[in-house]
Amino acid sequence: MDEQEVSTNKIPRLLGQENYIRWKVLFEAAINYNDTELWCSIKDGHYIPSQATGNNETIKRQMKKRDDKALSTLKLGLSWEILTRVNYHTNAKYLYDAVVEMFEGNVELRDIKKGRLKQQLNIFKFKEGDRLKSVLQRLMTIINEIRTIDMQISDFELNKKLLSSLSGEWFMARKFIKEKVNFPNLKLDDVISFLQAAEHEMIENHMIREEKQSFPVTNALVAPMGNLSIKSQ
């Protein structure tokens, strides 16, 4: 049987490159939701209580117990093929870092990738013949990569980039969105939803204009025929 993307204990399962981005986001969300301290052990290393009391040995045992649980949880989120490549790590953070490096590269490569993505975002623009759907698909491909390498960029910056990349026919829609009182606080999803609604309205208006333009042509062809005299045979 093929492995399922979500394991029986509801932990998102990493199967390969094709679902890595989705897995990284959902895995963090699932672990954080159930146990924030467990995620700290995976992401930052052994969890250390902020107000630790008792002797050092007790604290060490607590840390080890939590890290063992974090390590097991992480292993349950990996396919067998991936797990066998990183299973030599005995610490949750090292194992997680190894998985990230497997799919994203090391720190140097990630820095190079960040630079490349930043450049792609800077030069992103509307292409001749583009519909809104294709513009969004190209932009979201870049954004999804940005979000998986801990590259910080605000919705405000993304909204400005999206609006500035659209062609002149979007002038009124852009103007309306930018003049909204809360534009700096709008979510990217909100701007996308408005643009999709605006596109639908633009298409309807275009169809109406075409229909109106077709009537004079039809009348010009039909009217003379009505004025023709019919001779009796």
Side-chain angles (χ1 to χ4, degrees):
M1 292 178 61
D2 293 336
E3 292 185 86
Q4 299 298 311
E5 184 177 351
V6 179
S7 54
T8 54
N9 55 4
K10 306 303 180 182
I11 299 173
R13 176 165 288 169
L14 177 60
L15 305 178
Q17 188 68 53
E18 67 281 357
N19 82 317
Y20 171 70
I21 293 177
R22 175 183 172 86
W23 173 83
K24 187 178 180 184
V25 174
L26 294 182
F27 181 79
E28 177 180 349
I31 304 306
N32 245 325
Y33 177 79
N34 289 299
D35 192 335
T36 302
E37 295 174 359
L38 203 65
W39 174 247
C40 290
S41 289
I42 294 173
K43 188 68 168 59
D44 303 317
H46 292 304
Y47 171 73
I48 302 176
S50 58
Q51 297 180 340
T53 58
N55 59 55
N56 290 336
E57 290 303 317
T58 299
I59 295 175
K60 287 180 180 179
R61 284 196 297 271
Q62 291 174 344
M63 290 168 56
K64 183 65 168 59
K65 182 178 179 180
R66 183 166 295 280
D67 190 68
D68 286 345
K69 182 178 180 181
L71 183 65
S72 297
T73 303
L74 180 54
K75 288 181 177 181
L76 288 171
L78 304 177
S79 68
W80 180 251
E81 180 182 357
I82 295 173
L83 179 58
T84 55
R85 296 165 62 182
V86 295
N87 196 40
Y88 58 91
H89 291 292
T90 57
N91 172 282
K93 174 174 170 54
Y94 291 162
L95 182 63
Y96 181 78
D97 288 348
V99 172
V100 171
E101 184 170 329
M102 183 188 303
F103 291 93
E104 296 182 21
N106 56 30
V107 175
E108 290 76 14
L109 288 176
R110 287 201 293 274
D111 286 341
I112 294 174
K113 188 174 184 179
K114 286 180 181 180
R116 176 178 60 79
L117 290 172
K118 186 175 181 180
Q119 182 182 26
Q120 286 182 353
L121 192 62
N122 287 338
I123 65 175
F124 182 86
K125 62 180 180 180
F126 172 86
K127 292 181 179 179
E128 189 65 31
D130 256 353
R131 293 290 296 273
L132 179 62
K133 182 178 180 180
S134 60
V135 173
L136 293 177
Q137 285 176 336
R138 290 193 293 111
L139 182 60
M140 290 309 299
T141 297
I142 299 174
I143 292 174
N144 286 337
E145 286 194 68
I146 286 174
R147 287 173 172 169
T148 60
I149 59 174
D150 299 324
M151 181 176 169
Q152 301 300 318
I153 183 166
S154 67
D155 274 10
F156 179 57
E157 293 176 280
L158 293 174
N159 289 338
K160 289 195 299 181
K161 168 51 65 176
L162 172 56
L163 294 179
S164 66
S165 70
L166 298 175
S167 60
E169 65 178 334
W170 291 91
F171 174 78
M172 292 305 298
R174 276 201 308 263
K175 187 172 184 292
F176 179 84
I177 295 175
K178 288 184 175 180
E179 289 180 353
K180 288 182 70 67
V181 177
N182 64 337
F183 174 63
N185 299 316
L186 281 179
K187 297 295 184 183
L188 177 61
D189 288 344
D190 295 331
V191 172
I192 289 175
S193 295
F194 178 82
L195 290 176
Q196 289 172 332
E199 183 185 45
H200 181 71
E201 185 176 344
M202 288 163 61
I203 292 173
E204 285 189 339
N205 291 338
H206 180 70
M207 292 174 64
I208 292 173
R209 285 196 299 270
E210 285 189 336
E211 288 179 0
K212 287 182 177 179
Q213 290 172 1
S214 68
F215 288 132
V217 176
T218 303
N219 292 337
L221 294 173
V222 174
M225 294 181 65
N227 294 328
L228 291 176
S229 60
I230 303 177
K231 297 181 180 180
S232 59
Q233 300 298 324

